[in-house]
Amino acid sequence: MNAVLAFTVIMLVWTISDFVSKKTKSLISSLLVASLIFLIGFKTSILPEDLLQSSSLLSLGTTIVGFIIVHIGTMISIDELKQQWKTVLVGISAILGITVSLLLIGPLFESRNYAIAAIGGVSGGTISIIIVQEAALAAGLLSAAVLPVLISALQGLIGFPFTSLILRKEARRLQGEYRAGNLKMVKKEEGHDEGKGKLPEMFQTTAGTLFIVGIIVLVSTYIDNLTNGVLNTFIVALLLGVLLRATGILKQNILSGIDAYGLMMLALLIIIFGPLATIEPQALFELIVPISLSFLVGVSGSILFSVITGKLLGYSLPMSIAVGLTPLYGFPGTMILSQEAAKSVGETEEEVQVIEEQILPKMIIAGFSTVTITSVLVTSIVAGFIG
């Protein structure tokens, strides 16, 4: 297929997907819409199988996975994680709950590979899916590579409405605490401006930034090779991103604001749709049971572990459950749902602010500790057992 035509068609698919997502206030995710369009298009031959490859976005996406992981690392504030250490522990326990429950129930999936692939889909976002996909495709397991894509596409339909109900219950509890005089409005501290980092000005351009991040990815790859894969490239890249931001060498959100960031994110997302072009309809039908089991078992395990940990740390039942559900959508869903819950329950501006001050920081940190950190680390480890 003509490269320009292929690129243009993909941009149309994303335009439609984003439009539907915004109109439904993210209840129907752009990932779900895009998955359906690509899947139907490929299976009806409306879209050629070589669409993604012809656009060159697939090659670009594969190249910049490490870049995005370094960027994610620079999004994480160690100070914020320290302040919300209880939330971090509840979030970590949620991912462990997903992992343990899916591995224990693995025999029900017909194949342990499905259970491992489901961990990447239920517990994390795009990066986790790509990690488990690469392992599955390397082992010649096309169905296992498609499973996390379909799981991720459907997550919002389960996660958003369920979390919305839970957070509103928590908001009503906090409203009662506030009216009883047990909660006070928190004075907002002035945020610390991390500036442009310590890199010389010549490396703060688009090309300079990509050069520096590229070096970090190459170092991560070298460490992976040096340790024979014990220290995975993606794990090292994530940790280096966190460390270099904490030391002030890299600025927060290192790739945000550079000219190439938007295209890089689109290219990254294109990777996960690759297997949809070649999977057979019968294989898709056979994934119905694994998808259902993934949600039933994975979400149950997440809630169970987060509730137990939350109880031990003094968190309310609704807040613990809400944290346990963050792997189903991550940011910005964590922010949107928190704000909506506060506004739907609070009857005055001050009530809304007090409720939001209690819920929002926990949900934001929960999203980072589950989808961004723990899921990537856990998926990198379990993906090595596919095959």
Side-chain angles (χ1 to χ4, degrees), residues 94-95 97-99 101-102 109 114-125 128-129 132 147-153 155 158 290-302 324-330 370-371 375 379:
I95 299 299
I98 292 171
T99 305
S101 59
L102 285 172
F109 282 86
Y114 279 156
I116 295 174
I119 292 171
V122 177
S123 71
S128 296
I129 294 172
V132 78
L147 178 63
V149 182
L150 300 180
I151 290 173
S152 183
Q155 282 178 321
I158 297 174
I291 289 172
S292 301
L293 281 174
S294 298
F295 281 118
L296 178 62
V297 175
V299 174
S300 296
S302 176
L325 292 171
T326 55
L328 296 177
Y329 45 88
T370 56
V371 178
S375 177
T379 304

Side-chain angles (χ1 to χ4, degrees), residues 63-64 66-68 70 206-222 233 237 240 250 254-255 264:
T63 302
I64 53 86
F67 288 66
I68 300 299
V70 173
T206 294
T209 298
L210 291 176
F211 168 75
I212 293 296
V213 176
I215 292 295
I216 296 170
V217 176
L218 289 173
V219 170
S220 303
T221 304
Y222 176 75
T233 298
L240 285 177
L250 296 184
I254 184 68
L255 295 182
M264 291 172 72

Side-chain angles (χ1 to χ4, degrees), residues 21-33:
S21 179
K22 289 177 181 178
K23 284 296 182 180
T24 60
K25 296 183 178 179
S26 295
L27 178 60
I28 299 177
S29 72
S30 57
L31 186 60
L32 174 60
V33 178

Side-chain angles (χ1 to χ4, degrees), residues 69 88-89 91-103 115-125 127-133 135 229-230 232 234-236 238-239 305 327 368-386:
I69 292 180
V88 172
L89 290 181
I92 291 173
S93 69
I95 299 299
L96 294 179
I98 292 171
T99 305
V100 171
S101 59
L102 285 172
L103 289 178
I116 295 174
I119 292 171
V122 177
S123 71
I127 296 297
S128 296
I129 294 172
I130 291 172
I131 291 172
V132 78
Q133 261 193 352
V230 174
N232 182 276
F234 296 149
I235 295 178
V236 176
L238 179 69
L239 295 178
F305 274 54
F368 279 125
S369 63
T370 56
V371 178
T372 304
I373 306 174
T374 315
S375 177
V376 173
L377 297 176
V378 170
T379 304
S380 296
I381 295 171
V382 298
F385 295 97
I386 286 184

Side-chain angles (χ1 to χ4, degrees), residues 172-190:
R172 285 191 288 270
R173 185 190 71 81
L174 291 169
Q175 183 185 54
E177 290 289 316
Y178 172 69
R179 291 181 176 181
N182 298 325
L183 277 182
K184 303 293 182 182
M185 187 179 296
V186 179
K187 291 184 179 180
K188 295 184 178 180
E189 299 180 0
E190 293 295 324

Side-chain angles (χ1 to χ4, degrees), residues 78-334:
I78 292 179
D79 289 338
E80 290 174 1
L81 293 179
K82 287 179 180 178
Q83 292 172 9
Q84 290 288 340
W85 66 270
K86 291 183 179 180
T87 304
V88 172
L89 290 181
V90 177
I92 291 173
S93 69
I95 299 299
L96 294 179
I98 292 171
T99 305
V100 171
S101 59
L102 285 172
L103 289 178
L104 288 178
I105 310 298
L108 295 178
F109 282 86
E110 300 177 10
S111 168
R112 181 193 63 176
N113 296 318
Y114 279 156
I116 295 174
I119 292 171
V122 177
S123 71
T126 305
I127 296 297
S128 296
I129 294 172
I130 291 172
I131 291 172
V132 78
Q133 261 193 352
E134 286 185 350
L137 291 173
L141 302 169
L142 185 58
S143 294
V146 170
L147 178 63
V149 182
L150 300 180
I151 290 173
S152 183
L154 296 169
Q155 282 178 321
L157 294 177
I158 297 174
F160 282 127
F162 193 11
T163 307
S164 180
L165 291 173
I166 295 297
L167 282 181
R168 290 185 186 193
K169 189 170 183 178
E170 173 68 2
R172 285 191 288 270
R173 185 190 71 81
L174 291 169
Q175 183 185 54
E177 290 289 316
Y178 172 69
R179 291 181 176 181
N182 298 325
L183 277 182
K184 303 293 182 182
M185 187 179 296
V186 179
K187 291 184 179 180
K188 295 184 178 180
E189 299 180 0
E190 293 295 324
H192 173 62
D193 182 12
E194 299 189 43
K196 297 181 178 180
K198 297 178 181 179
L199 293 177
E201 188 173 346
M202 67 177 291
F203 293 120
Q204 293 176 15
T205 62
T206 294
T209 298
L210 291 176
F211 168 75
I212 293 296
V213 176
I215 292 295
I216 296 170
V217 176
L218 289 173
V219 170
S220 303
T221 304
Y222 176 75
I223 294 174
D224 183 319
N225 295 333
L226 194 65
T227 61
N228 291 320
V230 174
L231 294 177
N232 182 276
T233 298
F234 296 149
I235 295 178
V236 176
L238 179 69
L239 295 178
L240 285 177
V242 174
L243 178 63
L244 292 172
R245 174 193 165 170
T247 55
I249 295 174
L250 296 184
K251 68 175 184 178
Q252 179 182 356
N253 302 332
I254 184 68
L255 295 182
S256 293
I258 69 170
D259 296 335
Y261 182 58
L263 182 60
M264 291 172 72
M265 286 304 299
L266 284 174
L268 184 72
L269 289 168
I270 287 299
I271 295 176
I272 66 176
F273 299 119
L276 295 180
T278 53
I279 190 169
E280 296 297 325
Q282 178 62 27
L284 284 171
F285 181 76
E286 292 172 355
L287 288 176
I288 293 176
V289 172
I291 289 172
S292 301
L293 281 174
S294 298
F295 281 118
L296 178 62
V297 175
V299 174
S300 296
S302 176
I303 291 175
L304 176 62
F305 274 54
S306 61
V307 165
I308 292 173
T309 306
K311 179 69 174 177
L312 293 173
L313 296 175
Y315 273 25
S316 68
L317 180 63
M319 195 68 245
S320 298
I321 294 175
V323 170
L325 292 171
T326 55
L328 296 177
Y329 45 88
F331 186 86
T334 48

